Amino acid sequence: MRTLLIVGAGVAGLAAAEAAAEAGARVLLVERAAVVGGKRAARLETEAGPDAWPADAGPRPSLEGLRNHERVECLTLTELVAVEREKARFTVELRTAPRYVTEDCTRCGQCLAVCPETAPNEAEAGLTLRRAIHGHYPDSLPHAFAIDVATCLNDPPNYLPCGRCSDACDDDAIDFVRARSETRRETVDAIVLATGYDDRREAAAGELEEFGYGRQADVITMVELQRMLEAPGPSGGFVVRPSDEEYAADLLLVLPQATAFTLWVLGNQLRALAEQDVAVTGVLLLEPPSAEERLAPLHALLAQHGLELTFASWLGVDGRDGGGLEATFVDLASGRTARIGADLVLLGTDVAPLSPPPALAVATDADDWITVDDDGRTSLEGVRAVGGAIGLHGIADGVAQARRAAADAARETDPPRTEAVSGWQALPRDDRRALLEQLLHGLLARAER
């Protein structure tokens, strides 16, 4: 039985794990977050509505199926820290950080009520807050809560200034004292990278502050709007103003640049906004007026929705009486200062590829996406890359490619063991004949019995 290591447990990684296991391989699925599912975990739970699993993507990965699959082992809070090639196989070193919550957790929620520390909720694109101890979404894998020690008042295992969650837990599932990082070594036949991409890089780096992001609650990114449109989600699938959770009547779209990711996401979001009767009051592109061919797809997309593009220079945004925002900018075509009011200011943001594990120096292109051939093979023999690790894909295309590459890796024939052949051939001819005769006699004797 071949063993595959799959790095990354977003939708593509989950699909790859299922396909490899169905092809007969043993699968080690590692994810550095506390749960699997990645950016599109909500799609694994949604049965209907605008965010239903795409019909052309095939069956959605089943968390319950992976939870109980005898050939799949899910390791969360885990990173690949070292890789050694041994002939046609790999010896890998995996490091798992402590969860501080054991499998005895029943998710009763008593700990959530007493935890004093909060942080932006990654599962909701930062639109809501979570506690230091948290559970992401109801049917998460693993099912137990986890504690983010970077947010927690405790600094395990040396100092325990806060024991509120431990005191509240009737299941005795909180363990700060015995929890430790663990390292394990495994031998695998192939590695599949499903590491995805970073869609909050600009926000995390503070690059959006000049647009009021982080200061004005109603300045949001495309990533946050996408999470609003998903159900289940923080706003039930509807576009709202984060400042007061009122339904948004309109928004101003601001594009610092027209990237491939912006256009890829914008088409779906404009359709969703129209379905909810959310008007677009203007579209600003923050660059000098240009008739460059690269802007043709943007012009065509906006024309489909009756929108015009304004080349602009950003000046600022302020709150307005009664809620919402007013943006100030210079219309570069006329040179005049203008103002537009809207309930929301939507920032068109870009994505960046997540770097491959340092232990795997695979080749990347000029934009840092991992380069692969038609079968998902990277520049390193035995290593494949799938999904968002190799570029921007719709869910259907990404899942299909991940399943195909993982199944192929699971079925590859093991190379011949040349060391055994060379050892046999090194024996003198008479010794080889004697060994064969001895083996034949043994087989005949067994048959007679």
Side-chain angles (χ1 to χ4, degrees), residues 348-410:
T349 49
D350 201 5
V351 298
L354 287 170
S355 299
L360 288 174
V362 294
T364 57
D365 64 17
D367 295 319
D368 294 329
W369 300 103
I370 298 174
T371 55
V372 297
D373 65 12
D374 292 340
D375 296 319
R377 294 185 177 89
T378 70
S379 58
L380 294 180
E381 184 180 355
V383 180
R384 300 183 188 232
V386 301
I390 62 175
L392 300 176
H393 300 276
I395 288 183
D397 291 341
V399 164
Q401 187 263 346
R403 284 177 170 147
R404 183 171 60 252
D408 288 346

Side-chain angles (χ1 to χ4, degrees), residues 304-329:
Q304 292 176 14
H305 296 271
L307 301 172
E308 294 184 358
L309 182 64
T310 300
F311 294 92
S313 177
W314 183 259
L315 294 180
V317 63
D318 297 293
R320 63 181 181 182
D321 294 339
L325 303 166
E326 185 174 70
T328 307
F329 60 94

